[in-house]
Structure formats: structure tokens, C-alpha cells
Amino acid sequence: MRLLDDEPDLPAQINIVPMIDAIFAILAFFIMSTLFLTKSEGLPVTLPSATTSQRQESAPATVTIDAQSQLFLNRKPIAAPDLIPALTALKAEDPQLLVILNADETVTHGAVVQVMDQLRQIEGVRLAIATTQP
């Protein structure tokens, strides 16, 4: 007659391979999801290049003039007469308001100067012109 206690005791083992697979799957998920969290601040315009351009901090206001000379404030279409009141409201929220002007390189100089003139009518607004590095 054979007893159950006669079998040799096997040491307890923890198989960590499935746990490593699960951790790598979660890590891959987080890496892929963070790639889609980038913030796009501008509309598709071809910026002119300038060798003396400097990087500015992120701006709460972005004014864009696309190739068809349409005007946008923070990626939303806006009429030229409504630009000053909208930026004045933003200026009330942030006294050190920095406005970045994104103008397509094909836009006429006169259209850019008109928008810059409107921006300069708001007292205390800082203006930066977006360019690309060559």
C-alpha cells in the first residue's frame, strides 16, 4: 500500500515570464499613447525661415494667417475686426500676454503688417513672429 506522503515534495516555483509579458504590454501601451498627446498649436502654414530666430515659451494666443489670407485666433477662424476685442479679453486674463504670429510665407507683406498693427494697438501685448530654422 502506497501513501500519498511518499511522493517527493517539489519546491514551490513562481513563473514570472507571463508577468514580464504583461508588464511589457502595458509599457508599450503607455509609450504609444503618449505619442498622441502632443499639442498642435498651429494650422498648416509654411513658415519662412530665419537664422536668428529664437525659441519662445508657449503662448496662450496664436494668430495665424494662412495662404488664402484667412485669419485664425488659437486655430479658430476670426474676422479682422473681432481680433482686437478677442485679444483684449485674453489680455485681461494674462497681463504678460505673448501673441505668436504664424503667417504663411506666401501671404503678402501688407496682410501681415495689418495684423501686426492691430496687435500693437493692444497695450502691453508682446508679439513674436513664428519662423522655422533653416
Side-chain angles (χ1 to χ4, degrees):
M1 178 185 242
R2 195 172 160 157
L3 296 173
L4 294 175
D5 291 336
D6 289 343
E7 293 181 14
D9 290 332
L10 295 175
Q13 293 180 353
I14 298 175
N15 191 356
I16 64 168
V17 173
M19 184 173 60
I20 292 173
D21 290 343
I23 296 298
F24 279 127
I26 292 170
L27 180 65
F29 170 76
F30 282 117
I31 290 173
M32 294 302 290
S33 63
T34 56
L35 294 176
F36 295 105
L37 295 177
T38 58
K39 183 178 177 183
S40 177
E41 292 188 17
L43 295 168
V45 293
T46 306
L47 296 174
S49 62
T51 56
T52 59
S53 63
Q54 297 177 352
R55 193 149 198 57
Q56 299 289 328
E57 67 270 10
S58 179
T62 304
V63 176
T64 304
I65 307 171
D66 67 1
Q68 291 78 30
S69 296
Q70 294 174 333
L71 196 59
F72 297 87
L73 176 60
N74 292 335
R75 302 190 75 185
K76 296 178 183 151
I78 191 167
D82 298 333
L83 184 61
I84 292 176
L87 284 173
T88 304
L90 289 175
K91 176 82 169 88
E93 296 173 11
D94 182 10
Q96 297 295 321
L97 182 65
L98 173 65
V99 179
I100 294 182
L101 180 60
N102 291 324
D104 193 276
E105 67 182 355
T106 61
V107 174
T108 63
H109 182 69
V112 175
V113 170
Q114 284 178 343
V115 172
M116 289 174 62
D117 187 45
Q118 285 183 330
L119 296 174
R120 291 181 51 91
Q121 291 177 18
I122 305 169
E123 188 173 332
V125 169
R126 297 179 301 146
L127 175 64
I129 300 174
T131 60
T132 58
Q133 292 284 341

